[in-house]
Amino acid sequence: MKNIAVFASGTGTNFLAINKALNVNSRIAKVVLVVSDKPDSLVIKHAQKLNKNIFTFNSKDYKNKSDYENSILSKLEEFDIDLIVLAGYMRIIGKTILSKYYKKIINIHPSLLPSFKGIDAIGQAIEYKVKVTGVTVHYVDEGVDTGEIIAQETLDISNLTSREEIEKEIHRIEHLLYPSTIIKLLEE
Ligand code: GRF
């Protein structure tokens, strides 16, 4: 049984989907820790309801990134974490965590990387009027959305007229693709 830490800053719908899928496949892995830089976020409310171990921090309370990442590291060690899953975590992972968990950190991004890296990938796709976009799961490296690609799924948006419709479809794909990719990775 592998131990997963989910890092998130937002609404936590991916966290919920991953947790649910892993509960069904309960022999493979378990989300044992939720880490957030936003103590008041919805993801933390969900994590509390599900009785998860939680570590929240406010970056302003620390001298620098490596200082707060060292606090995260002690939690990761305490819970014997095998895989870090970023799910809407709005901070760049620094070398303090990367050096210890290289190739053990994955992220989901709402575009077909290498297109539309960074903030508001869906907005960037709409702006470019692309007809096909999608979702990518990738390893995390020193860059922003630059790590090796693990899985991708396309989405034809040529007939979708509003941003809301596109977001809904992207989330639908994410909630299936992320758990299935995690399970495949851990079964390897
Ligand atoms: C997802 O769209 C994911 O692709 C991006 O952040 C969003 C997180 O959504 N990295 P949620 O908090 O899981 O609902």
Side-chain angles (χ1 to χ4, degrees), residues 8-18 42-43 86-90 107-111 118 121-122 134-136 145 167 170-171 174-175 178:
S9 312
T11 53
T13 62
N14 280 284
F15 155 64
L16 289 175
I18 292 162
L42 215 47
V43 67
L86 308 186
Y89 181 63
M90 297 308 283
N107 181 42
I108 192 159
H109 187 74
S111 78
I122 295 175
V135 173
T136 303
D145 304 322
E167 277 175 354
I170 290 276
H171 269 112
E174 287 184 345
H175 297 161
Y178 216 2

Side-chain angles (χ1 to χ4, degrees), residues 2-188:
K2 304 279 186 190
N3 293 330
I4 292 179
V6 171
F7 286 29
S9 312
T11 53
T13 62
N14 280 284
F15 155 64
L16 289 175
I18 292 162
N19 187 59
K20 198 168 166 189
L22 291 177
N23 283 345
V24 174
N25 290 277
S26 59
R27 281 164 300 112
I28 295 162
K30 203 172 172 209
V31 178
V32 296
L33 177 67
V34 177
V35 173
S36 183
D37 59 330
K38 297 271 183 285
D40 299 326
S41 57
L42 215 47
V43 67
I44 291 305
K45 299 208 165 58
H46 293 313
Q48 282 164 342
K49 270 198 200 135
L50 291 164
N51 281 322
K52 296 291 176 189
N53 300 299
I54 294 168
F55 177 69
T56 61
F57 64 97
N58 189 335
S59 62
K60 293 196 188 98
D61 297 338
Y62 295 83
K63 278 200 302 280
N64 50 40
K65 188 191 276 279
S66 95
D67 210 22
Y68 72 70
E69 286 203 340
N70 270 318
S71 300
I72 298 175
L73 266 187
S74 3
K75 283 286 160 187
L76 298 175
E77 276 153 23
E78 180 183 336
F79 291 101
D80 203 13
I81 297 302
D82 300 293
L83 181 72
I84 298 173
V85 171
L86 308 186
Y89 181 63
M90 297 308 283
R91 288 183 176 270
I92 295 166
I93 299 289
K95 54 179 184 304
T96 307
I97 292 179
L98 257 182
S99 58
K100 291 252 163 79
Y101 284 85
Y102 197 69
K103 278 276 178 120
K104 288 182 175 172
I105 312 173
I106 61 173
N107 181 42
I108 192 159
H109 187 74
S111 78
L112 288 179
L113 290 173
S115 292
F116 311 136
K117 298 185 181 95
I119 301 281
D120 193 21
I122 295 175
Q124 295 182 53
I126 293 169
E127 180 85 1
Y128 265 86
K129 297 192 165 34
V130 295
K131 308 304 170 209
V132 177
T133 185
V135 173
T136 303
V137 179
H138 63 94
Y139 286 109
V140 171
D141 65 8
E142 304 74 16
V144 175
D145 304 322
T146 50
E148 183 187 324
I149 291 170
I150 305 166
Q152 283 186 312
E153 194 165 321
T154 57
L155 172 67
D156 182 342
I157 57 170
S158 54
N159 292 318
L160 301 183
T161 47
S162 69
R163 184 185 171 110
E164 289 67 38
E165 275 179 293
I166 298 172
E167 277 175 354
K168 198 169 153 222
E169 284 304 294
I170 290 276
H171 269 112
R172 188 183 56 74
I173 293 172
E174 287 184 345
H175 297 161
L176 294 172
L177 185 67
Y178 216 2
S180 64
T181 305
I182 291 167
I183 289 168
K184 248 187 243 159
L185 263 185
L186 294 176
E187 276 177 338
E188 268 172 15

